[in-house]
Amino acid sequence: MIDKEKIEQAVTLLLEGMGEDASREGLKETPRRIARMYEEIFAGIGQTPKEHLGKTFSVEEGGMVLEKDIVFYSTCEHHLLPFYGKVHIAYIPDGKVVGLSKLARTVEIYAKRPQLQERLTVQVADALMEYLKPQGAMVVVEAEHMCMTMRGVKKPGARTVTVAARGTFEKDKDLQEEFWHMLERV
Ligand code: ZN
């Protein structure tokens, strides 16, 4: 659970540390606003996608399921600045599929916490394997990191791409090829 009082105190200290006057008009309500905002943007801490990915439907046979362009917003744990972009998820069902909105919920749970893009990618792939038990899963995350673009290390718009392949996607390069092909085309 988020301790809003603690966050408010911390933000006041942070502002003072910057050399700001934390009591001036524009900043007076800032600690409280940030505490409320953190409750929302870090709502994934301690959550698992079990309840979402646990609700499955049976299918007789299934080819690749691809859910493209799931928009997410997360927070880099090294700088507490946003990174955001899109997640693409594919899996080959083994008798079970899940509602498409549940994939988006899963992304949200892992995005709404202090995070690394690499870990977000792996956690979504592993959650699919654990709860849905497909033959294979593939997750691609493309994101822009404010800690890079704001500080001028990289140009704005530069994207970082991370990939996690599990099960058949890990072993079967043709399948991976098919995935990339579908991702470009649809
Ligand atoms: Zn960062």
Side-chain angles (χ1 to χ4, degrees):
M1 261 324 262
I2 270 195
D3 183 338
K4 286 206 260 187
E5 203 178 317
K6 213 168 195 173
I7 292 171
E8 285 185 36
Q9 289 167 359
V11 173
T12 304
L13 271 177
L14 193 66
L15 289 167
E16 288 169 2
M18 282 173 206
E20 264 289 0
D21 171 9
S23 65
R24 73 176 167 83
E25 186 64 32
L27 293 177
K28 232 172 29 193
E29 291 297 316
T30 298
R32 202 193 323 231
R33 278 189 212 103
I34 291 188
R36 243 182 315 188
M37 179 180 73
Y38 274 13
E39 198 172 36
E40 187 185 335
I41 69 175
F42 294 125
I45 295 174
Q47 306 276 323
T48 76
K50 191 176 175 184
E51 61 165 310
H52 303 298
L53 294 181
K55 287 183 195 127
T56 57
F57 312 96
S58 298
V59 283
E60 299 261 309
E61 56 175 304
M64 192 190 305
V65 177
L66 172 63
E67 180 70 2
K68 213 184 137 168
D69 297 336
I70 301 169
V71 173
F72 78 94
Y73 295 88
S74 188
T75 306
C76 150
E77 69 180 18
H78 293 154
H79 302 93
L80 292 185
L81 283 173
F83 70 97
Y84 51 90
K86 289 170 180 173
V87 183
H88 315 297
I89 298 175
Y91 65 96
I92 310 275
D94 191 12
K96 285 193 291 187
V97 293
V98 74
L100 295 178
S101 69
K102 308 299 182 193
L103 296 178
R105 302 293 291 163
T106 299
V107 169
E108 213 165 60
I109 281 170
Y110 291 117
K112 289 189 167 185
R113 55 180 73 181
Q115 188 57 287
L116 297 172
Q117 183 177 337
E118 295 82 349
R119 196 200 293 134
L120 173 65
T121 313
V122 163
Q123 281 177 331
V124 172
D126 287 342
L128 280 170
M129 294 307 284
E130 182 180 349
Y131 297 111
L132 199 55
K133 299 189 172 33
Q135 295 175 40
M138 183 113 174
V139 176
V140 176
V141 179
E142 41 182 301
E144 182 171 339
H145 292 248
M146 292 304 286
C147 60
M148 292 202 265
T149 54
M150 254 181 105
R151 300 188 305 158
V153 179
K154 283 198 175 177
K155 286 195 173 73
R159 287 179 308 163
T160 306
V161 180
T162 45
V163 182
R166 297 287 182 270
T168 44
F169 280 100
E170 202 178 359
K171 296 175 206 116
D172 186 345
K173 296 297 163 199
D174 289 341
L175 188 62
Q176 267 201 30
E177 219 28 65
E178 192 188 325
F179 164 81
W180 290 113
H181 194 66
M182 268 176 82
L183 198 58
E184 278 166 26
R185 280 190 33 185
V186 293

